Amino acid sequence: MSRQIDESFDDMVWQYTTQLLPYIGVLFLAMVIAGALAVYTVVERTDALDEPSVRAFVGLNVGCAIWSGAYALQLLSGPVPTKRVWLGVAFVGAVLVSISCFSFAVAYSGNEQWLSRRVVLLLAIEPAVAFVLYATQYRQLYEYPPDTAVVADLVVLDRTFGPMGIVHVLFLYGLLVVGAGFLLKTVYGSQHVYREQAIAILVAIFVPLVANVVWFLGFGPMGNLDLTPVAFTASGLAFALAIYRHHLLDITPVARTAVVENMHDGFLVIDETNRIRDGNAAVRRRTTDRGSDSIVGRDVTDLFPEIESIVRDGAPTGRTEMVVDGDDGRRFFDVQLQRLSNVDGIRLLLLRDVTEQHAVEQRYQSFIENASDLITMVDGSGEIRYQSPSSTSVLGFEPSEMVGRSAFEFIHPDDRERIIERFQTGLDASVDLDRAEYRLRTADGQWRDVETIGSNLLDDPFVEGVVLNTRDITERKKREREIRRTNEQLEQFASVVSHDLRNPLNVAQGYLDLADESVDCAYLSDIALAHDRMETIIEEVLLLAREGQSIGDAEPIDLERLVDRAWVNVNTADATLSIASDRPIVADEDRLLRLFENLFRNSVEHGWNAVSVRVGTFSDGFFVEDDGPGIPVEDRDSVLEYGHTTTASGSGFGLAIVSQIADGHDWTIRVTEGADGGARFEFHTDGTPR
């Protein structure tokens, strides 16, 4: 169309006619609706703005508002440059609408991986290039210089697109078509409420798309007016319907697919006639191998006769358990019925598979019934509420004989007051009751030594009691008494060694001293050596007996300081000592001091006085090594035994004492070769040799 415009139009700022005003009003109405939806979403769903679908929804409505308002102002403007400015603003709105619509459809259908930052930047390249070409009119690639025409006393633009303009329009159409494809797929696979959501969104996309195609092909009314912004009024209404009636921003088919369809538990929606309206895959797997809709419309009691008593006659919300025998064996289900609507009788039936829970419960029940320990549950006053079957084998009482009676009446009178006091203190102090040892009466009037650990679960709604785990320690107590008797015997033995043997030895030593002054005999020195060896044996036997007692309190010990003390306590002659310690050792200090003294004596005794001794630590223990002759491989397993010695003056108890001290600490000893060929004793404090 050739340019046909009166010069007077160049000075016109605004133009309107009675025919145009309704259309302008609809455009501004579309702007208000879209803007209101954007503001509503930002204000009411601020916490959800991180979700791609919500952000795209806001962008879509902002674009609709910009496009509708800018196009209305373009129609009202008179000068051509002003019209082109408003068309540029509408250009931005149209691009924002298309990209946001595509993003919303992709996110709504659960394909958010398509919305990476790289993809969005790539989508923005074409609109950016097209806008630059539109604004600069570079070589008329986007559009040719627009002609103007007067239609019904209005100045309108007659635009002809260049190659880039056509590419741009097709690009935006492509985004809308791809987005619609995602939504169509969602409509096909969605349940009823989600299908209505998706259809509403499709309407909101296709109505403006059809209107824009009509305009692009030149079939628009009144000089080819673009009805696309007007169509956004219908889009706004469709979105409003989807938001307020179908909770567009609250529920999506993605949530159903990701959550409901993949739930391990089953759910069914049933109506007032007990017909199935909806169900997930977990239920379908239990009932049929046919399509996903095969259970819809069927009577739920036909599929699960076991729950007829729950759902019949509009039964109120209830909960029960049922057993289903299937190809995969017997399954247990916890069934819960919830009313969703009082008007139409829609109810939600939850089927929670508790087969594994049943198996665990049965397993624990079996453990309790066959355990040798007593499992007792008492209330805050000590009355027995539950007693495990092991009471029959341990005490001779049937569980039913003990339930309802006070647990304290079975306790020995001498222990009862102490245990009652500790029970009350434990209730007030913490969840766990202190370990307690006492005596329990059996059915035949005997007494058994027991040990009990308690847990205060009175506040636990599933227990509401104090759980007592009681173990029969009668045999252990018997062994402890035997050990005490043995220790007493060792103490008596130590006393005999210390007193009765040393007295005659001291007498013999006195006569030997007198003989040495008056008699010149070559054998007197041998007798003196024999006396010294007897004194050494007495000391080490006495030490061995006393070292058999339990280890005292263990604490971190500065190894270098303790080693220096032990070295001073030993006659080391010309021997030398080096220490390479980087961490403390947790031990009984007195016993560890004795261990080092015996090891140092052993090194000096077998290393010809000038031996070099080295002490150090490694990741899980410490070592003592020397550069002496070492220990033959065949003797390394026996050097720690009682009486083993390789010298005439040795007692054979020194290394045995070392071994006993290590055993008392639960350490492991490894006898091996030192770095310089001598003997090396490694002590692994975690009990495991390297």
Side-chain angles (χ1 to χ4, degrees):
M1 178 184 297
S2 62
R3 184 182 304 273
Q4 301 175 11
I5 184 169
D6 192 272
E7 293 294 332
S8 62
F9 285 122
D10 289 334
D11 299 328
M12 185 182 301
V13 178
W14 300 107
Q15 60 175 357
Y16 58 89
T17 66
T18 55
Q19 293 174 310
L20 182 63
L21 286 179
Y23 180 64
I24 296 297
V26 173
L27 285 174
F28 282 122
L29 177 62
M31 179 185 71
V32 170
I33 292 175
L37 287 172
V39 172
Y40 169 84
T41 305
V42 171
V43 173
E44 296 296 327
R45 299 302 305 273
T46 302
D47 57 337
L49 289 178
D50 290 336
E51 299 179 12
S53 60
V54 177
R55 291 200 305 269
F57 182 76
V58 173
L60 173 62
N61 285 283
V62 170
C64 289
I66 293 173
W67 193 356
S68 300
Y71 193 71
L73 293 173
Q74 182 271 138
L75 290 176
L76 290 173
S77 299
V80 173
T82 304
K83 285 181 175 291
R84 294 198 77 252
V85 169
W86 287 117
L87 282 176
V89 177
F91 180 102
V92 175
V95 170
L96 183 58
V97 165
S98 301
I99 293 180
S100 298
C101 194
F102 168 80
S103 301
F104 181 83
V106 170
Y108 182 81
S109 59
N111 296 279
E112 295 182 2
Q113 68 274 11
W114 283 45
L115 299 180
S116 64
R117 181 175 299 179
R118 178 178 297 179
V119 171
V120 174
L121 289 175
L122 289 175
L123 292 178
I125 292 176
E126 191 281 335
V129 174
F131 183 79
V132 171
L133 294 177
Y134 168 80
T136 62
Q137 293 185 313
Y138 179 73
R139 295 190 178 185
Q140 302 176 4
L141 289 175
Y142 186 83
E143 66 177 0
Y144 298 102
D147 291 333
T148 57
V150 178
V151 179
D153 295 330
L154 293 175
V155 178
V156 296
L157 295 178
D158 183 14
R159 305 170 65 192
T160 303
F161 286 104
M164 189 60 196
I166 296 174
V167 169
H168 177 65
V169 172
L170 293 178
F171 172 78
L172 298 183
Y173 286 172
L175 290 179
L176 295 175
V177 169
V178 172
F182 280 109
L183 291 175
L184 285 171
K185 182 179 179 182
T186 302
V187 169
Y188 178 77
S190 296
Q191 301 298 315
H192 179 69
V193 63
Y194 310 102
R195 184 176 291 120
E196 291 183 358
Q197 275 190 9
I199 290 175
I201 300 171
L202 278 173
V203 170
I205 292 176
F206 274 115
V207 170
L209 179 60
V210 171
N212 195 262
V213 171
V214 170
W215 166 80
F216 184 69
L217 296 177
F219 298 142
M222 295 181 62
N224 196 24
L225 290 178
D226 188 359
L227 297 179
T228 307
V230 177
F232 279 117
T233 303
S235 298
L237 294 175
F239 277 122
L241 176 66
I243 289 174
Y244 289 105
R245 181 171 180 178
H246 303 299
H247 305 284
L248 173 66
L249 300 180
D250 296 323
I251 54 176
T252 68
V254 177
R256 187 185 192 282
T257 301
V259 179
V260 176
E261 279 298 309
N262 294 314
M263 285 172 55
H264 178 68
D265 299 331
F267 93 92
L268 289 168
V269 178
I270 59 176
D271 59 20
E272 69 280 1
T273 64
N274 297 332
R275 298 288 176 180
I276 298 174
R277 294 284 191 89
D278 192 10
N280 68 345
V283 174
R284 296 195 296 272
R285 285 195 299 268
R286 299 293 173 195
T287 58
T288 181
D289 293 330
R290 290 175 290 171
S292 60
D293 296 328
S294 59
I295 64 173
V296 175
R298 297 181 60 181
D299 192 314
V300 68
T301 58
D302 291 340
L303 297 178
F304 301 106
E306 300 87 351
I307 62 175
E308 182 177 0
S309 60
I310 301 177
V311 301
R312 69 186 177 191
D313 302 325
T317 299
R319 187 169 187 163
T320 187
E321 189 174 280
M322 70 175 184
V323 181
V324 177
D325 291 318
D327 295 338
D328 55 350
R330 173 165 294 186
R331 310 292 297 184
F332 296 85
F333 291 90
D334 180 70
V335 184
Q336 185 174 3
L337 185 67
Q338 297 180 359
R339 190 177 298 280
L340 300 181
S341 172
N342 292 325
V343 178
D344 53 12
I346 299 298
R347 290 163 293 170
L348 176 65
L349 192 65
L350 298 175
L351 304 176
R352 180 168 171 259
D353 191 336
V354 294
T355 304
E356 295 301 325
Q357 179 180 330
H358 259 268
V360 171
E361 290 175 353
Q362 291 295 325
R363 187 179 301 117
Y364 277 104
Q365 184 66 25
S366 179
F367 289 162
I368 291 175
E369 291 179 354
N370 294 283
S372 59
D373 291 354
L374 299 172
I375 308 297
T376 309
M377 195 269 283
V378 301
D379 61 17
S381 65
E383 181 178 328
I384 299 175
R385 299 298 187 186
Y386 170 82
Q387 181 61 59
S388 64
S390 53
S391 63
T392 304
S393 59
V394 176
L395 301 177
F397 289 107
E398 293 293 331
S400 58
E401 298 180 68
M402 301 182 69
V403 173
R405 299 168 66 178
S406 173
F408 303 123
E409 70 177 80
F410 297 95
I411 299 176
H412 195 283
D414 294 343
D415 302 330
R416 189 173 301 154
E417 184 177 350
R418 171 174 57 89
I419 297 302
I420 292 176
E421 181 179 352
R422 295 186 65 175
F423 179 80
Q424 295 297 334
T425 303
L427 291 183
D428 298 335
S430 63
V431 173
D432 295 327
L433 278 66
D434 291 337
R435 185 186 305 269
E437 295 183 2
Y438 55 96
R439 288 162 288 179
L440 275 181
R441 177 171 55 85
T442 64
D444 58 3
Q446 301 297 315
W447 297 100
R448 306 290 295 180
D449 290 297
V450 297
E451 176 185 69
T452 295
I453 301 175
S455 296
N456 181 3
L457 302 177
L458 287 169
D459 294 332
D460 189 326
F462 298 101
V463 181
E464 295 182 341
V466 179
V467 179
L468 305 174
N469 190 308
T470 303
R471 174 167 297 179
D472 187 345
I473 60 171
T474 304
E475 294 301 320
R476 192 185 80 188
K477 284 293 186 180
K478 181 179 178 180
R479 290 193 300 271
E480 289 177 356
R481 287 191 289 269
E482 292 175 351
I483 291 173
R484 281 197 297 271
R485 286 195 296 270
T486 301
N487 288 338
E488 291 172 357
Q489 292 172 355
L490 286 174
E491 287 292 338
Q492 293 175 358
F493 170 74
S495 177
V496 170
V497 170
S498 176
H499 184 269
D500 295 350
L501 289 182
R502 272 184 170 151
N503 280 343
L505 182 61
N506 290 336
V507 172
Q509 184 64 41
Y511 283 116
L512 180 61
D513 293 339
L514 292 175
D516 187 44
E517 294 175 359
S518 58
V519 179
D520 184 14
C521 179
Y523 300 110
L524 293 179
S525 60
D526 293 336
I527 297 173
L529 288 175
H531 284 179
D532 291 341
R533 187 164 185 271
M534 289 175 65
E535 179 64 28
T536 300
I537 292 174
I538 291 172
E539 289 181 356
E540 293 191 350
V541 168
L542 180 61
L543 177 63
L544 189 62
R546 290 174 177 169
E547 294 292 348
Q549 299 173 359
S550 60
I551 294 293
D553 293 335
E555 58 184 2
I557 297 171
D558 184 341
L559 191 61
E560 185 172 357
R561 177 184 60 81
L562 189 70
V563 167
D564 286 337
R565 282 182 55 195
W567 188 259
V568 171
N569 293 343
V570 176
N571 182 10
T572 56
D574 296 328
T576 59
L577 173 68
S578 63
I579 306 172
S581 172
D582 58 1
R583 62 184 184 85
I585 300 296
V586 178
D588 179 331
E589 183 170 353
D590 291 337
R591 303 291 292 280
L592 185 59
L593 177 65
R594 179 71 64 185
L595 180 145
F596 281 119
E597 289 174 350
N598 283 10
L599 288 174
F600 294 159
R601 290 192 185 96
N602 182 75
S603 294
V604 173
E605 180 181 340
H606 295 86
W608 308 299
N609 295 333
V611 67
S612 294
V613 180
R614 189 165 72 96
V615 179
T617 58
F618 47 84
S619 61
D620 61 346
F622 62 95
F623 66 88
V624 177
E625 66 177 10
D626 58 47
D627 59 356
I631 301 174
V633 175
E634 61 273 12
D635 293 337
R636 291 175 184 173
D637 292 336
S638 58
V639 292
L640 302 177
E641 296 176 357
Y642 299 121
H644 181 90
T645 181
T646 58
T647 64
S649 60
S651 65
F653 291 115
L655 293 182
I657 294 173
V658 169
S659 177
Q660 191 163 356
I661 294 173
D663 290 342
H665 287 87
D666 291 328
W667 297 342
T668 301
I669 304 178
R670 181 178 177 225
V671 182
T672 182
E673 184 176 339
D676 298 321
R680 177 183 172 100
F681 295 85
E682 294 180 353
F683 297 86
H684 296 264
T685 55
D686 65 352
T688 304
R690 291 187 298 178

